[in-house]
Amino acid sequence: MTVKGYPIPLVPGPVSVPEAIRAAYGIDFGSSDMEGDFFDLYGDVEGKLQDLLDTKNDVVIQSGEGMLALWGALKSALAPRSRVLAVAAGVFGYGFAEMARSLGHDVAIVGFEYDEIPDVERVVERIEAYRPDLVTAVHCETPSGTLARLDGIGHAAREAGALFCVDFVSSGGGVPLSVDGEAIDLGLLGSQKVLSLPPDLAVTTVSDRAWEAIGRVGYVGYDALAPWKEVPACRLLPYTHNWQALEALRLSLEALAAEGKEAVFERHRSVAARCREGLRALGVELHPREEAFCSPTVTAARVPQGWSWSDLDGALREEGLVCGGSYGPLEGKVFRLGHMGSQARPELVDKALEVLGKRLRRL
């Protein structure tokens, strides 16, 4: 499998799509609006997602890229001029704050550096002092290659009367995560990371508390969550769904279940450790301040001295390796190896390290 002809795909999402999953997109299905089989499939996939994410909450599966889930959660659950506390330690954490501001909400940030993870004690103290309506957090900051601890944040938010909204787009399914255990009211996931689909489905776990808020707000729009509350029971959709993508997601979830959740988590953990060890052996500096901050789904490293990212990227592509740069303040300074989902394979990481070592030795 290749990414645009490159035999070593380690893009940090969208990841390489396995052939068995791609095959689902070639199936001719009927109209999702009218066929009972579609709603049976939707219910089946919802149950599989509940198992994967360890939740009894409803799971909404929308047609669209993962950002649809972020916008839909903010618009659906927040009344005008709500108080939002954004927990931020990277591009997406700070971006969550900007999204909420753009919607006219009062936003406070409990912020951290881009090479660290949020300090839970500081976050809890800020929740207690600020008394927000919604707390946002990012589990895996993909541009920074970090994985945050959520311990206690959701429960503190609940005690303060706030909803807890977590972006686990690039970690969900690849690392241990309990939506119910972390008291997550709105959990956001995209299809193009660990699930190994194209970027065409947005998944949101919705607690009873979140549904109550959504009912009060009454937001109507393509990204609205409200119309999905009774799907699949009502057998009515707000728009024509992507049946092929939903079938592909079923295949992906069945493959993860067959492998076993713990085995999937261990595969990601071990491949990530292998990647970090190999980078250190090449003299490449990891971006996160501490190795304990590193994500099992993506590794972020500093662009080596003597290289620009554009030159390094070009050199690696000449050898068949495609990975990724980074964004915002990290642009040009950090590059990333995406070992998630179909790409969490030791042989793929070994090939990448071999190519990287070969090109660095030529400097």
Side-chain angles (χ1 to χ4, degrees), residues 24 39 50 67 90 95 109 114 144 162 199 207 225 272 289 309 316 347:
F39 294 97
Q50 288 171 322
M67 284 298 294
I109 298 174
Y114 283 64
S144 301
S207 72
L225 290 170
R289 189 175 302 180
W309 164 239
L316 298 179
E347 68 274 14

Side-chain angles (χ1 to χ4, degrees), residues 106-162:
D106 296 325
V107 180
I109 298 174
V110 52
F112 303 86
E113 298 298 326
Y114 283 64
D115 61 352
E116 60 181 350
I117 62 175
D119 177 84
V120 172
E121 185 175 340
R122 273 182 56 194
V123 173
V124 170
E125 289 174 355
R126 193 65 183 278
I127 291 172
E128 293 171 348
Y130 185 62
R131 310 299 290 186
D133 299 298
L134 179 79
V135 177
T136 66
V138 177
H139 193 214
C140 175
E141 271 286 358
T142 327
S144 301
T146 56
L147 188 77
R149 292 188 301 110
L150 302 176
D151 312 343
I153 296 176
H155 296 286
R158 190 157 293 183
E159 289 177 9

Side-chain angles (χ1 to χ4, degrees), residues 29 37 43 143 202 222 230 236 299 301 323 363:
F29 289 110
D37 287 351
Y222 182 86
E230 303 302 329
L236 184 66
T299 294
C323 45
L363 183 64

Side-chain angles (χ1 to χ4, degrees), residues 52-325:
L52 180 68
L53 300 171
D54 189 24
T55 183
K56 294 180 181 178
N57 292 342
D58 292 334
V59 181
V60 171
I61 309 164
Q62 294 172 286
S63 183
E65 197 272 334
M67 284 298 294
L68 182 78
L70 276 70
W71 283 111
L74 292 178
K75 293 178 184 178
S76 297
L78 290 175
R81 300 295 293 182
S82 290
R83 292 164 66 85
V84 177
L85 179 65
V87 182
V91 171
F92 291 123
Y94 286 98
F96 234 150
E98 291 306 312
M99 291 168 67
R101 280 200 185 102
S102 75
L103 296 172
H105 299 298
D106 296 325
V107 180
I109 298 174
V110 52
F112 303 86
E113 298 298 326
Y114 283 64
D115 61 352
E116 60 181 350
I117 62 175
D119 177 84
V120 172
E121 185 175 340
R122 273 182 56 194
V123 173
V124 170
E125 289 174 355
R126 193 65 183 278
I127 291 172
E128 293 171 348
Y130 185 62
R131 310 299 290 186
D133 299 298
L134 179 79
V135 177
T136 66
V138 177
H139 193 214
C140 175
E141 271 286 358
T142 327
S144 301
T146 56
L147 188 77
R149 292 188 301 110
L150 302 176
D151 312 343
I153 296 176
H155 296 286
R158 190 157 293 183
E159 289 177 9
L163 296 175
F164 188 34
C165 178
V166 180
D167 168 354
F168 45 75
V169 168
S170 58
S171 58
V175 304
L177 174 67
S178 173
V179 166
D180 290 355
E182 298 293 353
I184 296 171
D185 295 295
L186 294 157
L188 317 176
L189 181 62
S191 59
Q192 72 270 28
K193 305 286 187 173
V194 174
L195 298 176
S196 304
L197 269 68
D200 48 16
L201 292 177
V203 173
T204 307
T205 65
V206 186
S207 72
D208 289 341
R209 296 175 71 245
W211 279 130
E212 290 173 6
I214 290 166
R216 289 193 300 269
V217 171
Y219 168 66
V220 177
Y222 182 86
D223 51 359
L225 290 170
W228 298 89
K229 189 177 189 306
E230 303 302 329
V231 177
C234 69
R235 309 238 151 180
L236 184 66
L237 296 170
Y239 50 71
T240 300
H241 213 298
N242 189 334
W243 197 331
Q244 285 82 0
L246 197 65
E247 171 63 13
L249 180 53
R250 181 187 69 80
L251 295 172
S252 171
L253 293 168
E254 285 188 347
L256 292 174
E259 184 177 354
K261 281 199 293 186
E262 294 306 320
V264 172
F265 300 153
E266 174 58 24
R267 172 163 58 89
H268 283 81
R269 188 205 63 77
S270 63
V271 167
R274 191 185 195 102
C275 184
R276 296 193 300 269
E277 181 180 358
L279 289 172
R280 283 196 302 268
L282 294 174
V284 177
E285 181 184 358
L286 298 176
H287 168 67
R289 189 175 302 180
E290 298 180 19
E291 188 164 355
F293 298 164
C294 292
S295 172
T297 56
V298 56
T299 294
R302 291 279 173 178
V303 174
Q305 275 193 320
W307 290 90
S308 67
W309 164 239
S310 59
D311 288 344
L312 180 60
D313 183 36
L316 298 179
R317 287 173 185 259
E318 288 177 1
E319 301 288 344
L321 167 62
V322 57
C323 45

